[in-house]
Amino acid sequence: MLWLALHFPSLSLEVFSRGSAAAGPLAVSEKLGNRSCVTACNEAASACGIRPGMPVAAAQALAAALIVRARDPVAEQESLAGLAAWAGRFTPAVSLQLPDGLLLEIGSCLSLHRGLDNLLGQVRSGLSEMGYAFTHACAPTPHGAWLLALAGMETAIRASAQLEQMLAALPVRLLAQPQEILASLEMVGAHTLGDCLRLPRAGVARRFGQALLNELDRALGRLPEAREFFMPPPSFERRLELPAQVHEAEALLFAARRLLPELEGFLNLRQAGVQELELICCHEDVPDTVLKLGFVQPTRAVDRMLLLLRETLGRTRLSAPVHTIMLNARHIVPLAASSADMFQDGVEEGDVNLLLERLRIRLGKEAVHGIAPAADHRPEQASRHCEAGDDAASPGNLQRPLWLLPKPLPCQEGQLALKTGPERIESGWWDGRDVARDYYVAQGRNGSRLWVYCDRVSGAWFVHGLFA
Amino acid sequence: MNASLDQVLQHPGIWRGDQLAQTGEDALPTGFAELDELLPGGGWPRGALTEILVEREGIGELRLLLPALARVSEQSGWQAWVAPPHVPYAPALAAAGVKLKQLLVAQPQSAADAWWTAEQALRSGACSAVLAWLSTPDERRMRRLQLGAESGRAWGILFRSASAAQERSLAALRLRLEATADGLAVHILKRRGGHVSKPVLVDLQQTHGVRRARPSVPPLSVVQLPREAARS
């Protein structure tokens, strides 16, 4: 077993700030008793001299442009669930460490990701794409890894002996014990975990409670730890509040980019794909704008979604500035992962579905189609529009022109030399579009070959097609 | 000529005036031997634009392409028809061996959209052949299409009216089609590797069944259209 612990030290801040690239001074406050204090602040705020623990009023006096948001534990938990969903791309064994951490069992999937370094690289780039800061550590026990990550020791430990040595140096304040116990440990001179371990076990249990010993044992792997794994919800719905109202497509795209990796991880965990995606832009006073993305085939590739989103956003007029975006995937469909090709790596075949999706966004759904023959004698009905890519095998008809005029043209004055015919077509009395015609292949004076007919009711002549 | 000199002349970097240009891309045989002979690489150029200038519709401009389009289908390649002037007729295409499963018709509303669509189809790499009927060409648009065809390795076919023959064009191959009593005359206005002055006559009957049925039957009748015929 190898556990990767991810700690998100500034999660409370990032739930507000990650929707935008620009960072003004921002602080998160919490009510302690009857005064509110700053609990976290970003770099721009620190530069103004604002520190955690400061009263909000004092902080606002230091920076006029400071935005103070009340801490939102619900949003934090949602973000953590989103992160857990995203982490589903690496391993199915993802466990939440509330309120601000994740534990991933990666020992069983290292070879899939071609080694720990590669995996960590993917974690790093993925998290920075989503806008989260994090510290990480690997250890054979989940709690050991978590303590190391909390301490900010970015190490990867595989041997238990080494783990004990590393943990021994950590300060006791990292332990998940009540404040009084931590304070009294400090008072007896036990500043590090190593100090605690050197104390007689019976005495420690009597003075500080069994819970402390249990926690130490779990960290060291002497006690087993059963962790509950994260189960993804049945559908994906995430909202992201933007730090400031936006109305440019580029800013919306940036925010959507923060959410899409979570969706990809979620779909990976569920072995599913989406065929329809909804991006809802919430406005202040006017009804929300709903952007729908349709895919020809279920997909879970972020690049693809992003590409379509960019084009859809480019063609959408927003009625008002947007303060929150929501990304919904209500219906997910099972989608097996495609195996990578061993030999054709790098050679990219063009993707027709992608082309179809892009054309449909710009031209409209009806303007892009395939054609298929239909079993009908009437020429107008013998060819129909269908979904591009639909299979309709048919032997076809050699006696038909390549171009059909959508509306038959009355013949112009002049001479047509009839070559072959007549081919009599009488059909369609059942749906009111009955035809009674004699068809001929005719040669026009200018060398063109025409498909003409004589209407047997009116006796008029029409051109109906071109043998182009 | 001595053997070592002959060997030197075989070098791909050496081009001799009487040779056709060597194209890097493989060509798509047209299905007409007499035309293949005159085209560089022995067929329609892939990864480039082909312009077909037609005096009048319906003289065989599509039938000229059908064997190659059927071959594209055979190789499971897609083809896109962008802004066709009429309805591409499924029964006739199926009869000619074009797999309709891999055919995509796009009907953009505006000229700008049509150019965009053609470029996307060429660039995507998903379509082996793109047939486009586009209006108001300019050099910038043509260059974009040419680059798209190169990067997507697609055979781009532009249909234009014969009046454009005098205009400068970026297309790698330009043909003007003319209906004659003996068949379709193909004038090669431009190709990679030298000028051709004489038109080549292509016998379309060998591929399309409409004519194959009765090649030399005299006209059944000559009718005066429309009034006389309607009243009689």
Side-chain angles (χ1 to χ4, degrees), chain A residues 362 367 369 379 402 446 467, chain B residues 56 63 87 89 105 107 113 210:
Chain A
R362 174 139 173 190
H369 56 80
L402 284 160
N446 43 50
F467 290 89
Chain B
R56 223 166 255 286
R63 271 178 290 160
V87 179
Y89 200 46
V105 180
Q107 284 162 326
D113 275 354
V210 178

Side-chain angles (χ1 to χ4, degrees), chain A residues 190-351:
Chain A
H191 301 299
T192 63
L193 300 195
D195 296 339
C196 294
L197 290 170
R198 273 194 296 276
L199 295 173
R201 283 181 69 90
V204 169
R206 210 167 44 240
R207 280 186 70 168
F208 304 106
Q210 186 64 32
L212 174 63
L213 277 183
N214 285 353
E215 188 181 348
L216 288 170
D217 286 346
R218 274 190 287 127
L220 289 169
R222 293 174 191 159
L223 260 186
E225 181 175 4
R227 292 205 67 98
E228 200 176 320
F229 291 127
F230 172 74
M231 284 296 292
S235 68
F236 185 90
E237 280 177 39
R238 284 281 288 133
R239 53 182 289 138
L240 182 61
E241 205 177 317
L242 307 178
Q245 299 209 344
V246 300
H247 42 260
E248 305 96 17
E250 208 47 46
L252 283 178
L253 203 63
F254 180 88
R257 263 241 265 296
R258 298 290 207 201
L259 292 181
L260 284 174
E262 294 179 16
L263 174 63
E264 191 185 25
F266 163 82
L267 293 171
N268 253 321
L269 260 186
R270 297 200 59 103
Q271 287 288 298
V274 278
Q275 205 154 8
E276 205 180 87
L277 203 59
E278 249 178 27
L279 182 76
I280 302 174
C281 303
C282 306
H283 308 296
E284 216 46 270
D285 299 319
V286 285
D288 299 345
T289 310
V290 180
L291 305 177
K292 283 198 171 159
L293 300 187
F295 301 94
V296 174
Q297 270 177 358
T299 182
R300 57 168 173 257
V302 165
D303 304 352
R304 178 97 165 236
M305 298 175 189
L306 208 56
L307 217 148
L308 289 196
L309 199 58
R310 185 187 296 273
E311 278 177 12
T312 313
L313 276 174
R315 301 190 64 76
T316 310
R317 287 192 77 85
L318 292 170
S319 48
V322 181
H323 63 80
T324 302
I325 61 163
M326 276 154 50
L327 189 67
N328 293 346
R330 296 243 165 71
H331 302 290
I332 60 172
V333 279
L335 174 70
S338 61
S339 359
D341 197 313
M342 185 170 173
F343 299 106
Q344 280 200 329
D345 209 353
V347 179
E348 286 240 347
E349 272 287 301
D351 188 343

Side-chain angles (χ1 to χ4, degrees), chain A residues 29-39 53-58 68:
Chain A
S29 72
E30 218 169 348
K31 256 197 149 53
L32 297 173
N34 56 0
R35 60 186 208 138
S36 34
C37 287
V38 172
T39 51
M54 210 176 241
V56 169
V68 182

Side-chain angles (χ1 to χ4, degrees), chain B residues 48 54 65 88 97 117 213:
Chain B
V54 189
L65 305 179
T117 306

Side-chain angles (χ1 to χ4, degrees), chain B residues 42-102:
Chain B
W44 302 113
R46 278 200 170 127
L49 294 182
T50 300
E51 261 186 9
I52 295 192
L53 312 178
V54 189
E55 257 158 27
R56 223 166 255 286
E57 282 183 321
I59 57 174
E61 67 272 22
L62 285 180
R63 271 178 290 160
L64 184 69
L65 305 179
L66 275 182
L69 292 179
R71 193 181 293 260
V72 163
S73 281
E74 246 169 53
Q75 296 164 349
S76 315
W78 275 73
Q79 48 186 288
W81 293 44
V82 179
H86 309 293
V87 179
Y89 200 46
L93 285 169
V98 174
K99 277 193 197 131
L100 298 176
K101 191 186 167 197
Q102 283 152 346

